[in-house]
Structure formats: C-alpha cells, structure tokens
Amino acid sequence: MKVAFLSESPADEAALRVLAEYVLGAPFQVVAPSLRARGWPSVDQVLPFVLRHLHFETETDQLVVVVDSDDSPVHTAEHEAPGYFHPHCRLCRLRATYRRTVRHLPPAGGRKRVLRAVGLAVPAIEAWYLCGRDTAVTEAAWMRGMATGEAPYTRKELTWRVYGTDRPSLEFELRRAVQEVSRHHGDVRRLENDFPHGFGALARDLRGGGHGAEPAT
Ligand SMILES: [Zn+2]
C-alpha cells in the first residue's frame, strides 16, 4: 500500500503518518507529493495538481488530506447527507475538489483512481495532539463555543499547551507532534470519540469509505 500526505506543514504530515498507520493497522510506503501547501486555502488550491501527479506518475493508492478548521464551520453528520455540500466547510470543499478532479481522470497505473482520506482538525491539529491529555479539548467543546460565542480555548492557547511557545521551530514542532500522537499506541478510539466529525471522517476514509464514488457536485 502506498499513501501520500497533503497538509499544512511537514510537522502535521509526520503526525498524520503515525495516525494513518494506527488506523490502517499496517505499515505503508509513503509517496512524496509533487507540491507542498502552507495553510488554507493553499491545500485546496494545490489538491488538483497533487492528485493528477499522484494518479499518472506514481502508484499511490490513497491521499491523506488534513486541514485546520480555524474559524470555519465544523463538518457534522448533516453534511454527510447525499448531495449535501456546505460552501464554508473545508472538509466538504476538499471532497468537492477531489470529486471534480478525479472524475475527469482516465484509469492509470492499473487502478481507477487515487482514493481520498480527508480530515478536518477542529479548530487546529494541536487539538488532536492534546487528545487524551487535556480532556477539555474536544470537537463538542469547540462547537458549543461556536454556538454560544464563547470559545473554550483559542488556537494560540492550544499551540502553547503543545509546544510551550507560540513560535516553535519546525524541528521541535515535528518532534512534539509525533510524540503526542504516539501516546495512542495504535489505538485511535479516543481520537474518534473526542473528534468524531473531523478525525472520524479521516478514519472512515482510511478504512475504505473514501472511494470518491459519490455523485459529483
Ligand atoms: Zn462539511
């Protein structure tokens, strides 16, 4: 199995490799994407180019794409209804970009398409890093805060809690990211419980739901 990663930073990608291996339950070969992205909307903008490159030039089976939600809406169960698309939900938008791109691609390299595995870190990937260590940090807490206008924590606070600084070096960020996700020791149930929408969608895609077979929007 060959998996590629597209996210907001090399530190995110290092942590996502660990989490993807936990979800898949087996090691895989990592394929380097042709382009890198930095933040939103850069990930959405480079996604078509990355997908086309992986499809025609590599033997990649699945592409993992994860972005932070920041202040955008959280992807919820109602977004999963057939044909539903939330124009401001980044997960809905990435899935739509994926669908628009792959539906025009002829089969290549012995497979029909590169499968997708899309996740949304609410409100930032540091929340996932704190999972199991800081029980106040959950998707539900963040969504309650969005509904009431009183955020339970800020993205900057999450950054401080993970790195002890708001400006970690890339090397330190990468080390801390891998350290924190490795606490789960192959078992992602806590992450799926505390982040059922954004992490749950990623895990379901990795386990075989991400075939991109939904009707195109
Ligand atoms: Zn959505």
Side-chain angles (χ1 to χ4, degrees):
M1 173 123 182
K2 295 184 180 177
V3 183
F5 294 83
L6 175 63
S7 189
E8 299 193 13
S9 88
D12 295 9
E13 284 164 22
L16 292 169
R17 284 184 198 188
V18 175
L19 292 173
E21 192 170 317
Y22 288 171
V23 174
L24 291 167
F28 49 77
Q29 200 176 324
V30 176
V31 181
S34 52
L35 289 165
R36 286 197 171 279
R38 289 292 168 268
W40 182 270
S42 158
V43 172
D44 192 44
Q45 287 161 351
V46 303
L47 179 56
F49 302 97
V50 168
L51 268 170
R52 275 193 283 271
H53 169 80
L54 294 174
H55 182 74
F56 289 114
E57 311 294 336
T58 75
E59 295 176 329
T60 305
D61 298 294
Q62 197 156 24
L63 172 64
V64 172
V65 188
V66 174
V67 294
D68 292 348
S69 71
D70 298 323
D71 295 316
S72 69
V74 175
H75 181 85
T76 60
E78 100 183 329
H79 298 201
E80 295 285 345
Y84 186 93
F85 167 77
H86 191 301
H88 300 297
C89 167
R90 293 178 180 178
L91 198 148
C92 284
R93 289 183 58 178
L94 288 168
R95 285 183 179 176
T97 302
Y98 169 88
R99 277 196 298 273
R100 274 199 308 274
T101 307
V102 299
R103 73 179 169 189
H104 297 301
L105 300 179
R111 84 273 203 239
K112 204 169 169 197
R113 60 171 71 94
V114 177
L115 301 178
R116 60 140 223 251
V118 185
L120 183 69
V122 176
I125 201 159
E126 281 74 19
W128 290 2
Y129 300 163
L130 291 166
C131 179
R133 190 154 76 77
D134 190 335
T135 53
V137 178
T138 64
E139 268 176 2
W142 185 256
M143 288 167 76
R144 269 195 303 277
M146 283 185 108
T148 60
E150 284 181 44
Y153 35 79
T154 63
R155 298 196 297 280
K156 196 170 177 178
E157 280 165 7
L158 297 179
T159 302
W160 267 95
R161 289 184 207 177
V162 173
Y163 310 111
T165 165
D166 58 355
R167 289 174 182 272
S169 68
L170 177 59
E171 190 192 358
F172 184 61
E173 193 183 334
L174 203 146
R175 195 164 71 235
R176 289 289 301 129
V178 171
Q179 252 173 11
E180 289 294 353
V181 295
S182 300
R183 278 189 294 104
H184 295 278
H185 294 291
D187 183 348
V188 295
R189 280 177 296 181
R190 184 63 188 262
L191 275 159
E192 288 183 279
N193 182 69
D194 292 358
F195 299 89
H197 304 302
F199 182 82
L202 173 70
R204 288 191 294 275
D205 274 359
L206 280 166
R207 293 187 181 117
H211 294 262
E214 317 100 296
T217 50

